[in-house]
Amino acid sequence: MRVQVSAKKYRRYLKPPTGWISTAAQMKAALVGLDCTLGPMQLKDPAAQGINRHSVKTWRLIDSFNLVFPTTLREYAAGEFQRYFEYQHSLGDQGDIVKSRDKLWPKERFSRQHYDAYIAIIGVMGIVKLPAITDYWTTNTRRYVVPFVRRVMIRNLWQLARHYAHFNDASKKVQRGDRDQPSPPDGYDPIFKWRPMLERFDGFNKVWPSLVTLSNYLTFDENMIKCAMHWGLSRRQPNKPTRDGPQVYVLSESKGKWVYQVWIDQGEFDPNLRPPYHFGKTVAFILHLLVGAGALGSWSTLIIDQYFTSPLLLIVLFFLKVFCIGTCQITRRAWPATQIFANEKANGKVKKPGEARFWFEVGARGAIKWALACCKWYDKNEVHIACNCETGEEQEYSLKRKGSTDAIDTRQPKMRRLYTDNKVGVDVVDQKDAALISDHGSKKSPWHRVHDSFVNTAMTLALEHFDLVITAFGSEEQRRHLNRLRHDAVEARWELLEQLTEEAHFGVENPNVSTLQRGRAQKNKAAADEEEGGEEDENEYEFAGEEEDAEDGSDDEGEGSAPRPRPEP
C-alpha cells in the first residue's frame, strides 16, 4: 500500500543537526569533485553486439532491429501466440475460438516469421492511414491498394493472430482480489500479460540500456498510450494530446535519441509502491527506472517537471549520486518544511520579463553534505526550479517573448539553461512515435495498443542504433544513405519493414503489381490516365469474381495461395 508522507516526515530529512548554511562558498564545497564524467551517448561494447569494421560493411537496419527487439524475444512472443491458441482449444466449448478461421492457423506452429509479418503490417498501418483495418487488403483499385500487406500475410490470418495475441501463460494468471494480497508473481498482477516482454533477460527494459552508454543528461516524464476504452490501467490527462489510456513512465536521453526504461503505471497494485520503498509513488517510480538503467552512482543529471519534483527526491538522489533539476510548485506539500520556502517570501515576487531571483542552502547529516537551490523567473507567471547541483554560476541570456521583436538581456543561473536545453527528451520520443503509429484498435483492444506502441518504439530506436553504428564505423556511402534515412523517416520505416519480411510470405501476391508501390493508391494513377484521355492500365490490381471487402473473407484462399486469374479484356 502507498505510504502517506506528511510535511512532518520530510522535516526529519530536511532539518539537519548542523543547521542551514547559505553561502556560495559552502555550496561549491558541497559539490566539489562531483562533476558528471559521462559524455554524449554512444554504443556500449560494440564487440559484444557483433559490431566491427568488417561486419559493418553489410550492416542494415534489420541488424539494429534484431538488437533492439531481439529475435529470442520475438520467438518467445510467437510461442505465446501458439500457447494461447492451444489453451483456448483445450477449453472445448468454453474456449474463445474463431471456428470460421481456425483452419488458417499454421499447421506446425506460429513461428517467428509469422510474428515478424504480423508486426510488419502493424508498422504499415502507422505509415498508411486508412479508415478500417480491412481496407489494407481491399482489391478495389479505385480505393486503396497496399500490395505489401497482401503479399506479407492474408487478412484472415492476421486477424486470427491478433485474436490469439498473448505474451504470458494465461492459465497462471491470478484474478484480482483485495489490496493486501502479495506482490507479483504470487499475487494479482495488473500487467501480467505484458510483464515478460519488459522483464525477461531479453526484454525491452533489459536490452535497451545495454546497447548504448548512459547519457550525461536524462529526462523522466510520463507518456500516454491512446486507448479510448476504459479499463483498469486507464488514466486521464486532459491537458495532453492523448487524453485517455494507460500511463507509461519513460526514462530517456535528454534529446530524445534513446529510451532507457519504460514502466506502466499500475496504481495501487504496483509492486514498486510496496516495501522497501517508503518515499511515495513518484519517488518510487523514479528510483525504479534509475536502478534499471544503471544510473545510480553515475552523477548524471536527471531533468524532471513539477509533477515529480520534491525536496525529498532531490536529497535522496543526491545521496545516490544523481544530480536532479526540475520545475516545482513551491506551495506543494513538504516545501513549506524547508528554508527554501521561507527565502521564497523574503526574495519577493518577480513581475517583469527577464527578472529572476536565486537562492540556495546547504545542509548536512553527519559527514554527508547535500545542497538544494531554487530559482524563479517571470514567464506569464512565476516559474520555480529546484535542483541539487547548482554552484551559483550565472550566464547571460537574451530572452525574446513570443510575438515581440525586442530581446531582453539578463543574467540568470546556469540551472535554468540546463533545464530548458534538456527537458524535451520524452516529448521528442513521443513525437517520433506519434508520427508513425497506428490508431486501430484504440476503442476495444487495450493490450493490443500497448503492444503496438512498444513495437513502434522499437522500430524508432532501431534507426537511432543504426545511426550510431554507421556514424562510428560506416563508410562514406553508408553515411550518405544514413543521411537520406534521417531526413525521411517514412522511407526508413519502409526499408526496415521490407527487410523484416524477407522470410515472411504468408499472403497472396499479384505479379502484375510491383512491390515498390507499397502504400500508394492506384486512384491517383487512374485519375491521371483519365486526364490524358487514355484508358486505364490493363495491369490494374484486380481479381476475377471478388467483391469489395467480403464479409466472409472469401478473397483470401489460404496461406501461400496463388491469385485468381485476371479476366480477359
Side-chain angles (χ1 to χ4, degrees), residues 222-226 235 237 240 242-247:
E222 76 275 0
N223 197 356
M224 300 291 290
I225 299 176
K226 183 177 180 181
R235 303 290 184 270
Q237 296 282 0
K240 285 188 171 292
T242 301
R243 295 180 296 177
D244 297 285
Q247 184 168 276

Side-chain angles (χ1 to χ4, degrees), residues 306-370:
Q306 62 182 5
Y307 179 78
F308 305 100
T309 310
S310 68
L312 177 60
L313 174 64
L314 297 178
I315 295 175
V316 169
L317 291 182
F318 190 81
F319 288 162
L320 297 175
K321 301 181 180 181
V322 177
F323 292 137
C324 184
I325 303 176
T327 54
C328 61
Q329 296 178 358
I330 202 66
T331 56
R332 187 179 177 182
R333 182 177 60 185
W335 283 110
T338 68
Q339 290 295 319
I340 287 182
F341 186 77
N343 288 353
E344 152 73 13
K345 295 182 178 180
N347 278 278
K349 291 184 175 295
V350 290
K351 300 180 180 179
K352 298 179 180 179
E355 185 180 1
R357 299 281 190 276
F358 173 64
W359 62 97
F360 49 88
E361 289 85 14
V362 176
R365 287 189 66 84
I368 302 178
K369 296 181 179 180
W370 49 269

